mmCIF file of all heavy atoms in Angstrom:
data_model
loop_
_atom_site.group_PDB
_atom_site.id
_atom_site.type_symbol
_atom_site.label_atom_id
_atom_site.label_comp_id
_atom_site.label_asym_id
_atom_site.label_seq_id
_atom_site.Cartn_x
_atom_site.Cartn_y
_atom_site.Cartn_z
ATOM 1 N N VAL I 15 79.641 82.557 78.491
ATOM 2 C CA VAL I 15 78.384 82.008 78.987
ATOM 3 C C VAL I 15 78.198 80.581 78.488
ATOM 4 O O VAL I 15 77.718 79.710 79.223
ATOM 5 C CB VAL I 15 77.198 82.898 78.549
ATOM 6 C CG1 VAL I 15 75.880 82.220 78.873
ATOM 7 C CG2 VAL I 15 77.281 84.253 79.234
ATOM 8 N N LEU I 18 80.122 78.206 80.628
ATOM 9 C CA LEU I 18 79.452 78.012 81.913
ATOM 10 C C LEU I 18 78.234 77.111 81.756
ATOM 11 O O LEU I 18 77.891 76.338 82.655
ATOM 12 C CB LEU I 18 79.051 79.363 82.499
ATOM 13 C CG LEU I 18 80.223 80.237 82.964
ATOM 14 C CD1 LEU I 18 79.771 81.658 83.212
ATOM 15 C CD2 LEU I 18 80.859 79.645 84.202
ATOM 16 N N ASP I 19 77.588 77.218 80.603
ATOM 17 C CA ASP I 19 76.443 76.347 80.323
ATOM 18 C C ASP I 19 76.861 74.888 80.323
ATOM 19 O O ASP I 19 76.164 74.025 80.853
ATOM 20 C CB ASP I 19 75.858 76.682 78.938
ATOM 21 C CG ASP I 19 74.714 77.680 79.046
ATOM 22 O OD1 ASP I 19 74.080 77.718 80.115
ATOM 23 O OD2 ASP I 19 74.481 78.408 78.082
ATOM 24 N N GLU I 58 73.994 86.166 87.960
ATOM 25 C CA GLU I 58 73.743 85.134 86.954
ATOM 26 C C GLU I 58 74.672 83.943 87.174
ATOM 27 O O GLU I 58 74.401 82.853 86.690
ATOM 28 C CB GLU I 58 73.970 85.696 85.550
ATOM 29 C CG GLU I 58 73.196 86.981 85.318
ATOM 30 C CD GLU I 58 72.544 86.991 83.957
ATOM 31 O OE1 GLU I 58 72.767 86.044 83.187
ATOM 32 O OE2 GLU I 58 71.804 87.956 83.681
ATOM 33 N N VAL I 59 75.762 84.168 87.864
ATOM 34 C CA VAL I 59 76.626 83.056 88.255
ATOM 35 C C VAL I 59 76.967 83.222 89.727
ATOM 36 O O VAL I 59 76.907 84.322 90.282
ATOM 37 C CB VAL I 59 77.936 83.005 87.433
ATOM 38 C CG1 VAL I 59 77.643 82.891 85.958
ATOM 39 C CG2 VAL I 59 78.799 84.212 87.721
ATOM 40 N N TYR I 71 83.809 80.062 89.584
ATOM 41 C CA TYR I 71 82.500 80.505 89.105
ATOM 42 C C TYR I 71 81.682 79.319 88.618
ATOM 43 O O TYR I 71 82.216 78.319 88.153
ATOM 44 C CB TYR I 71 82.664 81.509 87.962
ATOM 45 C CG TYR I 71 83.419 82.751 88.355
ATOM 46 C CD1 TYR I 71 84.809 82.816 88.243
ATOM 47 C CD2 TYR I 71 82.748 83.874 88.842
ATOM 48 C CE1 TYR I 71 85.500 83.966 88.605
ATOM 49 C CE2 TYR I 71 83.432 85.020 89.198
ATOM 50 C CZ TYR I 71 84.810 85.057 89.086
ATOM 51 O OH TYR I 71 85.498 86.185 89.448
ATOM 52 N N ARG I 72 80.367 79.487 88.688
ATOM 53 C CA ARG I 72 79.474 78.428 88.205
ATOM 54 C C ARG I 72 78.102 79.025 87.923
ATOM 55 O O ARG I 72 77.635 79.887 88.666
ATOM 56 C CB ARG I 72 79.330 77.333 89.249
ATOM 57 C CG ARG I 72 78.350 76.241 88.842
ATOM 58 C CD ARG I 72 78.344 75.116 89.854
ATOM 59 N NE ARG I 72 77.549 73.989 89.442
ATOM 60 C CZ ARG I 72 76.272 73.813 89.801
ATOM 61 N NH1 ARG I 72 75.660 74.700 90.556
ATOM 62 N NH2 ARG I 72 75.616 72.761 89.389
ATOM 63 N N GLN I 73 77.496 78.550 86.857
ATOM 64 C CA GLN I 73 76.136 78.952 86.549
ATOM 65 C C GLN I 73 75.201 78.165 87.457
ATOM 66 O O GLN I 73 75.209 76.931 87.439
ATOM 67 C CB GLN I 73 75.825 78.647 85.090
ATOM 68 C CG GLN I 73 74.626 79.399 84.579
ATOM 69 C CD GLN I 73 74.502 79.230 83.077
ATOM 70 O OE1 GLN I 73 74.505 78.104 82.571
ATOM 71 N NE2 GLN I 73 74.408 80.336 82.367
ATOM 72 N N CYS I 74 74.424 78.870 88.240
ATOM 73 C CA CYS I 74 73.586 78.195 89.229
ATOM 74 C C CYS I 74 72.130 78.556 89.025
ATOM 75 O O CYS I 74 71.790 79.480 88.293
ATOM 76 C CB CYS I 74 74.012 78.596 90.634
ATOM 77 S SG CYS I 74 75.498 77.759 91.211
ATOM 78 N N SER I 75 71.289 77.810 89.733
ATOM 79 C CA SER I 75 69.876 78.138 89.726
ATOM 80 C C SER I 75 69.665 79.409 90.532
ATOM 81 O O SER I 75 70.489 79.795 91.355
ATOM 82 C CB SER I 75 69.075 76.998 90.339
ATOM 83 O OG SER I 75 69.439 76.842 91.691
ATOM 84 N N GLU I 92 73.980 71.690 94.531
ATOM 85 C CA GLU I 92 73.384 72.837 95.203
ATOM 86 C C GLU I 92 72.538 72.347 96.365
ATOM 87 O O GLU I 92 71.784 71.394 96.237
ATOM 88 C CB GLU I 92 72.507 73.630 94.234
ATOM 89 C CG GLU I 92 73.283 74.226 93.077
ATOM 90 C CD GLU I 92 72.401 75.075 92.175
ATOM 91 O OE1 GLU I 92 71.322 75.500 92.644
ATOM 92 O OE2 GLU I 92 72.774 75.297 91.021
#
Side-chain angles (χ1 to χ4, degrees):
Chain I
V15 171
L18 291 166
D19 266 334
E58 308 223 356
V59 302
Y71 300 89
R72 177 175 187 265
Q73 198 171 52
C74 282
S75 64
E92 297 183 20

